[in-house]
Amino acid sequence: MSDPLVEAFRSRFGVAPTHASRAPGRVNLIGEHTDYNGLPVLPVALQREARIVLVPREDDVVRLANTEAEFAEVEFEVGVAIEPGPPGHWGNYVKAPAQELARRCAAWRGFDGVLSSDVPVASGLSSSSALVNAVGLALAEINQVGLNALALADLMADAERYTGTRGGGMDQAISMAAWAGHAARIDFHPLRVRHVPVPADWRFVVADTGVRAEKSGPAQAAYNRRRSECEEALEAVVAELVRVRRLRRAVKGYPELLRSVHGAEALQAAEQTLDATLLKRFRHVVTENARVVEAQDLLSQADHAGFGTLMDASHGSLRTDYNVSSAELDELVALAKEGGASGARLTGAGFGGCIVALASMATVDEVLETLVAGYYEPRDMTDRLNQRLFLAVPSGGASFEAL
Ligand code: NG1
């Protein structure tokens, strides 16, 4: 059977591609806005992915065409200081890994390629990291940099900051290192991944609000502001705990704080020192951390109801303490629950994008039906499962192959 991407490459470059690189998007089950605070997350990789077919070049040029006509072909020379395009330009997600690999691994060799991605853009499903990883893995392989998946994921997390988002490392890690059929509990500094099987009758419904959370626009500023607020809150709480002699010295980072004092005690100190906004941010981070730890246990025990309850609590905290939900996200969460989901929450950064809801084989049809009837135009929904409403199939991480 002919592969349309291979055909697209042939018609653009006149020869057959020799290699393919692919990296999936992800849906985060729980642990939102914790990664950049060094605290754990629990995502799964999706069946939707960025895929590139390519031919390595002998020089330092990268030419990458996109099967979507709205994204014009990008061409640049690999180097340690690659000029970015305008904010939000898709080419920046191609240049990001190239510059980082040139800086850290002296990888200079480029490729000719064609990209196709079916990860919805600006939906909280990490289309950006799927692209960064697919390009990064291709460049790492053709330059023989010899990094394992986690080391490369770490490097890709640094690389993506080229695009202006001060992200954590969740997306690059799950997209590089996922196992099919499993969720991953990911910890940071150093990056560690524990694979946890997803019970066979659990169904994760992903529903898109259709509101794009553009990481190059206001959502990026809001995201980066949250990160600064978390840093400010941490510093003030640590200073307070040192002042009352509960800490002998200032600790660095949330993980060290939460190893040194109990979460409840950290919250008490926060109530003493933080203003209303910083207190809410801090409370979200500390309580979400506890939810992730518990969620991993509940997933291992196949405790469907318990896991759902944690998802609900996560959404509540993201809505009222972290203020990253929206009317549309809240509406989809409410509909999923009405349809019988055990839990539902926004996924990804928020400000728009998708929710994820936990259903079972027994409840999934009703959940889908309630979402379609309550939110989507029935005429757009002749295929019940489509680009905006689908079931997450926990998938494997990025791969590179000779064709
Ligand atoms: P999305 O929603 O895919 O933009 C972002 C960050 C994650 C994480 C989540 C919130 C990037 C590439 N991704 O994801 O690291 O912080 O928000 O939990 O910055």
Side-chain angles (χ1 to χ4, degrees):
M1 218 173 62
S2 85
D3 176 343
L5 193 55
V6 168
E7 289 317 310
F9 187 96
R10 269 185 205 282
S11 73
R12 166 62 187 87
F13 294 106
V15 291
T18 55
H19 294 83
S21 181
R22 50 160 290 278
R26 62 101 184 95
V27 61
N28 190 18
L29 305 182
I30 196 159
E32 222 61 86
H33 292 276
T34 46
D35 64 349
Y36 52 78
N37 292 308
L39 295 172
V41 293
L42 192 68
V44 298
L46 289 174
Q47 67 275 30
R48 308 217 162 174
E49 62 185 27
R51 182 160 175 260
I52 298 170
V53 294
L54 61 118
V55 173
R57 292 175 60 104
E58 294 307 321
D59 62 11
D60 59 0
V61 170
V62 170
R63 291 191 293 179
L64 185 60
N66 194 316
T67 51
E68 296 293 320
E70 64 175 299
F71 300 115
E73 180 169 323
V74 293
E75 175 170 347
F76 62 91
E77 282 166 25
V78 175
V80 295
I82 305 172
E83 183 72 28
H89 193 283
W90 81 280
N92 291 344
Y93 297 87
V94 184
K95 292 173 177 176
Q99 174 173 290
E100 198 67 22
L101 281 161
R103 285 185 178 182
R104 306 249 298 261
C105 307
W108 55 265
R109 188 173 178 195
F111 63 83
D112 288 336
V114 179
L115 163 81
S116 144
S117 173
D118 62 355
V119 189
V121 173
S123 300
L125 302 179
S126 209
S127 60
S128 65
S129 301
L131 173 54
V132 166
N133 274 3
V135 174
L137 180 60
L139 289 170
E141 288 285 337
I142 65 186
N143 285 282
Q144 297 173 327
V145 302
L147 295 175
N148 67 28
L150 288 189
L152 192 56
D154 246 344
L155 201 131
M156 289 303 110
D158 291 342
E160 195 164 336
R161 299 197 183 105
Y162 175 90
T163 64
T165 307
R166 295 181 64 213
M170 158 167 64
D171 303 350
Q172 300 82 3
I174 185 69
S175 174
M176 249 346 149
W179 286 2
H182 292 68
R185 151 95 186 248
I186 303 175
D187 287 80
F188 302 92
H189 321 303
L191 187 58
R192 282 151 290 153
V193 177
R194 247 169 297 169
H195 302 279
V196 188
V198 175
D201 67 333
W202 288 29
R203 295 287 179 276
F204 287 103
V205 176
V206 179
D208 193 344
T209 59
V211 179
R212 287 165 69 114
E214 294 289 355
K215 277 308 240 351
S216 49
Q220 185 179 72
Y223 179 93
N224 289 344
R225 191 163 57 247
R226 294 294 180 289
R227 183 168 179 158
S228 307
E229 287 167 347
C230 290
E231 288 164 358
E232 209 184 311
L234 175 70
E235 202 179 313
V237 170
V238 168
E240 172 65 8
L241 288 166
V242 170
R243 193 185 67 77
V244 300
R245 297 178 190 277
R246 276 297 292 124
L247 289 175
R248 258 184 293 139
R249 52 170 190 85
V251 297
K252 283 197 192 69
Y254 280 87
E256 197 183 349
L257 172 67
L258 295 174
R259 276 196 302 272
S260 310
V261 301
H262 198 270
E265 194 177 350
L267 277 173
Q268 243 172 25
E271 281 159 16
Q272 300 304 314
T273 76
L274 300 180
D275 69 24
T277 301
L278 289 191
L279 176 59
K280 292 200 303 175
R281 306 298 188 248
F282 188 82
R283 189 164 55 210
H284 169 73
V285 172
V286 170
T287 58
E288 186 78 347
N289 173 58
R291 282 187 287 271
V292 173
V293 173
E294 202 186 336
Q296 185 202 339
D297 285 343
L298 296 179
L299 180 60
S300 316
Q301 297 155 17
D303 183 340
H304 196 262
F307 196 94
T309 304
L310 289 176
M311 292 174 77
D312 291 342
S314 171
H315 185 72
S317 177
L318 288 160
R319 188 184 64 234
T320 56
D321 276 351
Y322 223 64
N323 300 123
V324 292
S325 193
S326 67
E328 295 85 357
L329 286 164
D330 291 345
E331 194 184 339
L332 283 177
V333 163
L335 284 166
K337 294 287 296 177
E338 197 186 308
S342 301
R345 54 182 292 280
L346 71 85
T347 188
F351 316 109
C354 290
I355 67 146
V356 58
L358 175 59
S360 65
M361 267 158 76
T363 59
V364 67
D365 285 341
E366 185 71 25
V367 171
L368 291 172
E369 237 140 71
T370 312
L371 286 165
V372 170
Y375 194 85
Y376 300 100
E377 287 288 334
R379 69 179 142 80
D380 297 340
M381 288 287 169
T382 41
D383 293 330
R384 176 62 41 97
L385 298 178
N386 57 33
Q387 199 49 18
R388 295 188 59 194
L389 183 64
F390 62 92
L391 300 183
V393 179
S395 301
S399 60
F400 184 84
E401 57 171 357
L403 290 176

